[in-house]
Amino acid sequence: KPCDPCPVGKYAPQQGQNQCQSCPLHSTNQQGSSSLGSCRCDVGWSGQDGDSCAACGVGKYKDALGSATCATCPDMMTTQKSAAASSTACVCVEGWYHDTNISCALCPAGTASFSLGAPSC
């Protein structure tokens, strides 16, 4: 019987194996991979290739596969949950509003914002 490549997210570390092994949770690899080290953390998750992956914490994001560290949202911005996969998940903290697409401004005296990502005060 001809050999089939392991599907995405699995690998076979030895030739002639009948089964493929799964990458650690929250990681993936390319079809036909042959080593645990080919498993790279998903976006929003960080860790060494082939090892366990941890979610980027609130206020952080990671927009690429692999072992890169999670980036921190700009000043006065945070994310609404962990494992954010893009900088677009960063929103203004309470008491601040979106002044532009990339920055936040403090609410003027006598006004307030009571939710994350408020478009105005």
Side-chain angles (χ1 to χ4, degrees), residues 19-37:
Q19 294 183 333
C20 300
Q21 298 178 17
S22 294
C23 285
L25 196 59
H26 304 294
S27 68
T28 192
N29 61 8
Q30 295 181 344
Q31 179 181 358
S33 294
S34 61
S35 72
L36 174 62

Side-chain angles (χ1 to χ4, degrees), residues 26-73:
H26 304 294
S27 68
T28 192
N29 61 8
Q30 295 181 344
Q31 179 181 358
S33 294
S34 61
S35 72
L36 174 62
S38 69
C39 299
R40 300 172 357 145
C41 292
D42 294 331
V43 296
W45 297 79
S46 187
Q48 294 300 311
D49 292 346
D51 204 351
S52 60
C53 300
C56 294
V58 171
K60 295 180 179 273
Y61 66 93
K62 183 173 144 264
D63 58 8
L65 289 174
S67 59
T69 58
C70 300
T72 301
C73 289

Side-chain angles (χ1 to χ4, degrees), residues 54-108:
C56 294
V58 171
K60 295 180 179 273
Y61 66 93
K62 183 173 144 264
D63 58 8
L65 289 174
S67 59
T69 58
C70 300
T72 301
C73 289
D75 286 345
M76 304 318 298
M77 297 183 94
T78 190
T79 58
Q80 295 182 335
K81 59 183 182 173
S82 61
S86 169
S87 62
T88 60
C90 297
V91 295
C92 297
V93 297
E94 292 176 6
W96 294 69
Y97 72 101
H98 277 282
D99 185 31
T100 66
N101 285 339
I102 57 170
S103 69
C104 299
L106 181 63
C107 288

